Amino acid sequence: MTPNFTPLIDALADAPLLKNELCRVFHGRGHSVEALSHINLDFYPPSLFLVSYDEIDEPTLGELTSVLWQWAQQHHPELITAFVYQQRAGVQSQNTLVYGQLPSQHVVKENGIGFLVDLTSRQNTGIFPDMRSGREFVQANSKQAKVLNLFSYTCGFSLAAMQGGADHVMNMDMSKGVLRVGKQNHQLNGFDKGVSFLPHDILKSFGKLKKAAPFDLIIVDPPSFQKGSFILTKDYQKVLRRLPELLSDTTQLLLCANSPELSEEAFKALITEHTEGAIEFVERLAATERFIEVDRDRSLKALVYKTSQTVA
């Protein structure tokens, strides 16, 4: 075996595969193994999902996928029945089913919640594994709450809120396609009431949000970059400036940023500047299990805030 592959096999052997839930197996992007910093490996039951952010030559890729598949078939053939590789170098990602067969409707579980995923036709799968700790926070803080989920994508936070007993969740995203998947996710889990889906540009829709305010819990988890609609380092402050209009005296907020260029302190400073003292910092959520990061400032930042008591 090529020595560079050893950390991947060690990570597979250590991963909680028997839980049969979505999990990160190896987090190369955290730079804990510099030679493999271009590679992530996830388990989307029943498939391993290998992602490379650099090009891998065909012989090396063939050896790597073969080694991982052989280990899976030797140790967990009943759990791991497919293997997908995603090449993310360059502008367009390419997804390849290397071994096995995927379910016609691919559903993965996390804390008892089902999520529809797609490993073969899109760059993003339908759920971000690194945000598990954020979804767990939302689930734990949603009982009888009115929740606003901005940049909702396929509504993972909404599912967590409904599982946690929310009274109502308002999901807003400008993409009708991802909201359609979000609706299917809710139907899949039996959450048919108390949820709304608004296909609007958030930066142009604060009048609608203000009418629905106040909210007990607000989640802001924008993309780092979305061509033609949102650039985190330029547009986040536009959202922050309007948040004070949506608060009650006891609102909690989960403000997220997944940009290596934005440090935690810079993110906090941005929040403080543009909310003008209306909210106060509570804590930064711990990283999701198995997302080992050498530099916390370059990793996902999920910050909890609450309505400032000096304002309230």
Side-chain angles (χ1 to χ4, degrees), residues 180-195:
R180 190 179 308 115
V181 176
K183 288 181 182 179
Q184 292 170 348
N185 276 332
H186 283 76
Q187 292 165 357
L188 178 70
N189 289 277
F191 301 140
D192 298 320
K193 297 179 180 178
V195 190

Side-chain angles (χ1 to χ4, degrees), residues 247-309:
L247 307 177
S248 72
D249 291 348
T250 57
T251 300
Q252 293 189 92
L253 306 97
L254 180 60
L255 306 180
C256 307
N258 198 6
S259 171
E261 289 73 39
L262 186 67
S263 70
E264 179 179 341
E265 287 309 309
F267 188 28
K268 286 179 179 176
L270 187 76
I271 294 167
T272 298
E273 177 185 357
H274 292 286
T275 57
E276 298 184 334
I279 58 177
E280 57 187 46
F281 176 72
V282 177
E283 64 173 332
R284 177 177 177 175
L285 296 183
T288 294
E289 184 181 3
R290 303 185 67 82
F291 281 82
I292 301 168
E293 300 283 352
V294 170
D295 184 354
R296 290 179 79 242
D297 266 341
R298 292 182 61 81
S299 64
L300 169 67
K301 288 158 279 285
L303 308 184
V304 178
Y305 279 76
K306 66 178 180 179
T307 302
S308 174
Q309 295 311 297

Side-chain angles (χ1 to χ4, degrees), residues 1-6 9 63 67:
M1 184 192 302
T2 303
N4 279 352
F5 298 164
T6 302
I9 294 298
E63 184 178 356
V67 163

